[in-house]
Amino acid sequence: MIQAFGLTSNPRQELPPAVDDVSFEAPTGRVTALLGARASGKTTAVRLMLELQQGRGITHFRGRPLHRIPHPSREVGVLLGEVQGHPSRTVRGQLRMLCAAAGVPVQRADEVLEVVGIVSLREQRLGTLSRGMDRRLGLACALLADPHTLVLDGPAGGLSAREGKWLHGILRAHASLGGTVLFTTDDAKEAARTADRVVTLEAGRVIADQGVADFSRTRLRPRVAVRSPHAARLGVLLAREARATQRSVEVVNEDGNRLSVYGSNCADVGETAFRHSILVHQLADEVGDAGPAVSVPARARTEEVREVEPAAPQMAVVDASSVADEPPPAMEPSEEEAAAPMAPTQAHAPSAQEPPHSTGTFVVLRADADLGGASSAAPAPPRDERAAQAPRTPSIPVPARPPAPLSPLPPPITIHPAPSPLRPLRYEVRRATGIATGYLTAAAVLVASAIVAVLLARTGQSPQAHLLAAWPQGLPLPPAALGAGLLGAFAFGDEFRHPALAADRGTVPRRLGLLCAKLVVAAAVAVSLAFLVVASDAVLLHLVYGEELTEVPADWLSTSASWLALVVGCAWAGVLAAGVFRSTTAGLAAVLAVPVLVVPLVQKALEGPSVRTAAGLPSRLRDLALVHWPFGAERVLAAGLRMIAQPVGSALMLSLTALLCAYLLTVLRPRAR
């Protein structure tokens, strides 16, 4: 069950709030429609319910607000707009990535593809899907974790009649299995056909909360469309028979030869026409939208009906159960409810603006009411009179401090970020390998490195280590380091542009678990790219210039460590910068800023004579250690210290530290608030 209490959006400057004190319930096992015209506040209400927008109010999903549910995706399935995902990712890849985020088995992706009927499109790209297929994929994403509740914002928008019928069948099936379904729509006929309960919004307020039968009777009244050359005469006869049999029938003459008969059916109208030998050209059941007003304007009625029924009494439709189900006196209606169209269970008093002939409407007692007794049709006394008649208990003064007055405002709604993926490493691997951007970037890096290595070997002025890494002296970084930084920047920048992780819960979160997964995957990709560059350059140089340029150097261990540290550091700098600034361009700019800006600053800081050095630090650390170091550990540590002491290593370490601190600050600051 969904219970929304006092949903109110924050006002925009001097404009009124888009949603003002919206409260309703969506029962379990039922389909509830949130109906309203454009700009009526439907989408805002849904976003407030899902805590995607700041405001006031609270929404309970089976008794708990959304931020109190450990795994929201397993409780609430959400469809808001189009599917958020990279256009080049496949349908199956998108669902498998979301399976890792929701912590469900990967086989669930194929199951929901069969449920929504797009198994044949599992290898199709998201950017090539039609509107209907995108809706099916969005519904598959909502059903992926098998949630109890479905919240859909305009799910049938832009769909054909056949696709809309299929979608409504899926929603009905989910509700029949014990789930809760809430969807928004601006089509009253769609709400009447699909929903069990309809909540109508107008100007951000609830003006009606009705069952589908009451809604169809008050907002969508079934009618019989009649075309006849003797329409005026037929209308008079229908009204006369309705008054004689005490039936609620209303006849509206829309033009010269067309009638709209409310409260009857084709059989009764056809029998009346047959008995009086009236020719009928059309006789069909239709559903007409009555609009915001329940009654049809009386000025559209025929002059013949007004002459026959000049002073017909207007009786109220009273249901015997409405008296017993009347809300308690504390539930006072709001101003909007008082101004809303009156339901059939309320007596309608003619207003001063209505024409005198508006009393021609025939509204009689229902069959289930007691026609013989007046007590069943008598209106209940006003609430003020009931309150005056109720016995008052004497108040006993209590010598205690009076309680503080309760705030009339509902509690504030805070935007809670999406939780980290339940399988962050698996999610990150599927995210990185699901699109061709990474493969194309790696291929471009290999080609550029091979070309640069051949050109450097032709000049004969570069050392062997720079030849294998394809690192000219004039470039701040080699192509492999730039490519690793760009791939690292894709880890966050691509997600912020296509937030597939949290399409229903806001932007991609900055959580430490997700960060660690991204750093691990970025490091693995950078190491693989570094080995591929060196191997391809060595093979190419061997083929072109022979074996003299591919000999293994004596200090290959320290050189390899420095090379891998440089590439991994650039990749991590791209990941952290893209996570902080939420931009791929910012991540690549942070990688380039290290050799261009930070390295000169470090060199200036290290200029001048040094009184003390860190020489002999590995041997002193070995003396302080309680256990013996493995063989060769001193050389590895010394190589690492020399690498950090270099300007590029120092600048890279400084940049990574600053970016990591900024990332942690952005993570911890919302928690502190």
Side-chain angles (χ1 to χ4, degrees), residues 56-308:
R56 289 191 171 274
I58 189 170
T59 304
H60 286 169
F61 297 89
R62 291 204 289 182
R64 294 179 297 174
L66 199 61
H67 62 273
R68 296 293 184 183
I69 300 176
H71 305 300
S73 60
R74 298 183 181 179
E75 177 65 27
V76 183
V78 178
L79 174 59
L80 299 177
E82 298 180 354
V83 176
Q84 299 294 330
H86 198 281
S88 63
R89 197 181 304 277
T90 63
V91 170
R92 191 179 187 185
Q94 175 81 4
L95 292 177
R96 288 193 169 192
M97 180 180 62
L98 295 181
C99 284
V104 298
V106 71
Q107 294 80 9
R108 180 65 180 168
D110 298 327
E111 294 177 2
V112 296
L113 284 177
E114 293 182 0
V115 171
V116 300
I118 54 174
V119 179
S120 59
L121 303 179
R122 58 180 178 269
E123 299 302 330
Q124 191 168 348
R125 306 292 178 180
L126 298 185
T128 61
L129 294 179
S130 63
R131 177 68 174 177
M133 296 301 104
D134 185 84
R135 295 279 92 182
R136 289 176 181 253
L137 178 59
L139 185 59
C141 296
L143 296 172
L144 193 61
D146 194 15
H148 175 270
T149 303
L150 290 180
V151 179
L152 315 174
D153 184 22
L159 298 184
S160 63
R162 181 179 178 182
E163 292 173 338
K165 184 177 180 180
W166 170 87
L167 177 63
H168 297 152
I170 291 291
L171 301 183
R172 177 62 59 189
H174 184 81
S176 64
L177 295 177
T180 304
V181 178
L182 173 68
F183 73 97
T184 66
T185 180
D186 56 359
D187 188 357
K189 297 180 182 179
E190 177 189 359
R193 288 192 302 263
T194 308
D196 299 310
R197 191 163 194 84
V198 181
V199 180
T200 307
L201 292 183
E202 184 176 331
R205 287 181 174 267
V206 176
I207 62 172
D209 189 350
Q210 306 165 293
V212 67
D214 293 338
F215 172 78
S216 299
R217 185 172 58 253
T218 58
R219 301 265 169 181
L220 287 177
R221 299 186 300 167
R223 68 182 179 186
V224 179
V226 184
R227 286 188 181 272
S228 172
H230 310 286
R233 180 174 168 228
L234 180 59
V236 173
L237 294 173
L238 291 174
R240 183 181 302 169
E241 291 185 0
R243 185 182 59 176
T245 57
Q246 291 189 351
R247 289 185 298 112
S248 176
V249 176
E250 182 174 326
V251 181
V252 178
N253 189 354
E254 297 184 354
D255 53 25
N257 61 350
R258 180 175 178 179
L259 294 177
S260 292
V261 183
Y262 295 90
S264 185
N265 51 53
C266 288
D268 294 341
V269 175
E271 290 177 0
T272 302
F274 177 78
R275 285 195 303 267
H276 296 86
S277 302
I278 296 179
L279 178 64
V280 175
H281 292 165
Q282 179 188 8
L283 187 62
D285 286 323
E286 292 184 355
V287 177
D289 191 355
V294 175
S295 59
V296 177
R299 62 177 176 270
R301 301 183 183 175
T302 60
E303 296 295 335
E304 291 79 4
V305 173
R306 290 202 299 268
E307 292 177 0
V308 175

Side-chain angles (χ1 to χ4, degrees), residues 38 150 161 188 217 292 405 529 553 633-634:
R38 295 180 181 271
L150 290 180
R217 185 172 58 253
L529 185 61
E634 288 187 19

Side-chain angles (χ1 to χ4, degrees), residues 501-633:
L501 171 63
D504 57 334
R505 301 284 296 126
T507 56
V508 178
R510 301 173 179 175
R511 299 294 179 88
L512 296 182
L514 184 60
L515 173 64
C516 294
K518 290 183 180 297
L519 292 179
V520 169
V521 173
V525 172
V527 170
S528 302
L529 185 61
F531 275 114
L532 288 176
V533 166
V534 172
S536 61
D537 291 349
V539 171
L540 186 60
L541 291 175
H542 178 76
L543 293 176
V544 176
Y545 296 104
E547 298 180 355
E548 63 275 6
L549 296 180
T550 58
E551 295 180 357
V552 178
D555 56 344
W556 67 271
L557 185 60
S558 60
T559 304
S560 301
S562 302
W563 169 241
L564 294 179
L566 175 65
V567 178
V568 172
C570 291
W572 284 359
V575 171
L576 293 174
V580 172
F581 300 106
R582 303 196 174 199
S583 171
T584 304
T585 306
L588 186 59
V591 175
L592 292 174
V594 173
V596 176
L597 299 178
V598 184
V599 170
L601 295 178
V602 174
Q603 287 178 343
K604 282 191 175 182
L606 297 178
E607 285 180 355
S610 178
V611 179
R612 292 185 176 88
T613 62
L617 179 60
S619 60
R620 291 194 293 271
L621 291 177
R622 183 191 59 184
D623 296 339
L624 293 176
L626 300 179
V627 295
H628 292 287
W629 286 13
F631 176 76

